[in-house]
Amino acid sequence: GEALEVTREVNCVVDFIHGCEDQLQKLKKQKEKGLLYGIPVSIKDHINCKGHVSSGGMVKFLGQVMEEDSVIVQVLKSQGAIPFVKTNIPQTMINYDCSNLIFGQTLNPLDHQKSPGGSSGGEGALIAGGGSILGIGSDVAGSIRLPSSFCGLCGLKPTGNRISPSACSDRTFVLAVTAMLGPMARDVDSLALCMKALLCQEMFRLDPTVPPIPFNEEVRLRGNPTPPFSQQ
C-alpha cells in the first residue's frame, strides 16, 4: 500500500511482483527462518525476476519475459525476503537521472523539482518516500551511490565479484569498471544485514565464480568512526 502511494506521487515503481502472498505462506511453513525473514525488498528493473520483464528502460526488451529469477533474487528468497516490486531506471542505465520513454520520469520524493539520481533512481525514490525499507540497486560509476546521496539514504557498492552479477547476463555492457549489485536502505545496519544475508552458502552454491567469503562483522565494526560527542 505504501509503495503504491509513493509511486503515485513520484513514479518510481514499474511492476509489482506477483506471487508475493504465496511466497509469504511458504515462508511461514519453513522451520528455518532466514536473516531477512518477512522483509519486503524492492528490486531494480534490470535484475531478472521470473515472469517479469527486465526492460533496461528500452522498448526492444519489453517482450522478453524472464524464465527464472537471477541468483540474487533466489538468495534473497532463500533468506526469507519477499521481492515485491521492480523500480524505475534511466534508459540503458548509463545516466545520473531517472527517466525513460516507457515509464517516464521519476521524481525525488524530498523535492519534486529535483531528480532522485540514477541509475537506481526508482530505488532511491521508493525507499526515501517510505515505500520500501530495503532495495537492491546496481552501480558501475555511481548508480547506487548517487541516488542514495540525492535521496538521503545509505547505499553500498560492494567490491567487484563479491555478489553474483548474473542479473541480466544476456545484455552485458563491456566496461572497464566492474558493475556490482548492492543494497540501498535508510541506515548502515540494514546494509550490513543485507550483505550478511547475501554472502551465504546458497549464493556460493548457485554461482561458484563468487569467492566463498562470508560477511565479516568485525571488519565492519572496526571501521566505525568515533561516535558523536553527545554519545560519548
Side-chain angles (χ1 to χ4, degrees):
E2 287 287 330
L4 255 177
E5 280 180 38
V6 175
T7 202
R8 280 194 197 114
E9 195 182 302
V10 297
N11 187 38
C12 54
V13 171
V14 298
D15 204 359
F16 281 84
I17 297 172
H18 41 68
C20 291
E21 297 82 0
D22 298 345
Q23 201 200 332
L24 188 58
Q25 296 313 315
K26 263 190 226 162
L27 284 174
K28 284 178 180 173
K29 291 170 191 164
Q30 280 179 13
K31 286 179 182 170
E32 289 287 314
K33 303 288 185 233
L35 282 176
L36 301 175
Y37 179 75
I39 295 175
V41 179
S42 43
I43 306 286
K44 186 174 177 176
D45 162 283
H46 76 111
I47 299 168
N48 293 351
C49 294
K50 186 179 178 179
H52 294 267
V53 168
S54 299
S55 78
M58 290 175 277
V59 172
K60 67 177 285 187
F61 294 129
L62 284 179
Q64 297 181 20
V65 176
M66 295 303 145
E67 290 179 13
E68 58 179 47
D69 287 330
S70 56
V71 169
I72 196 166
V73 171
Q74 291 179 57
V75 175
L76 285 167
K77 286 180 175 179
S78 76
Q79 286 283 20
I82 302 166
F84 75 114
V85 289
K86 297 195 83 180
T87 55
N88 205 23
I89 52 166
Q91 188 174 39
T92 74
M93 298 183 290
I94 306 176
N95 197 327
Y96 292 156
D97 183 31
C98 189
S99 77
N100 58 68
L101 295 172
I102 307 163
F103 303 111
Q105 175 74 49
T106 300
L107 307 174
N108 190 316
L110 310 178
D111 182 345
H112 292 181
Q113 301 303 307
K114 291 188 162 62
S115 169
S119 66
S120 310
E123 281 302 321
L126 184 64
I127 297 167
S132 174
I133 57 171
L134 179 63
I136 303 295
S138 65
D139 190 312
V140 174
S143 286
I144 285 172
R145 293 163 287 172
L146 274 152
S148 296
S149 176
F150 285 21
C151 297
L153 302 171
C154 298
L156 177 69
K157 180 191 181 186
T159 301
N161 207 32
R162 190 78 168 104
I163 289 171
S164 172
S166 68
C168 47
S169 51
D170 55 336
R171 54 188 90 130
T172 309
F173 295 105
V174 178
L175 296 162
V177 181
T178 310
M180 276 310 300
L181 300 173
M184 296 169 67
R186 285 175 225 162
D187 55 63
V188 173
D189 285 346
S190 299
L191 302 181
L193 178 65
C194 185
M195 288 297 291
K196 194 174 178 180
L198 290 173
L199 299 173
C200 63
Q201 288 308 315
E202 183 70 355
M203 176 172 286
F204 308 143
R205 183 184 70 77
L206 288 168
D207 188 346
T209 69
V210 174
I213 305 166
F215 185 76
N216 190 330
E217 194 75 50
E218 282 178 28
V219 169
R220 179 177 92 85
L221 295 173
R222 203 186 305 151
N224 268 3
T226 309
F229 293 114
S230 59
Q231 294 175 11
Q232 286 180 348

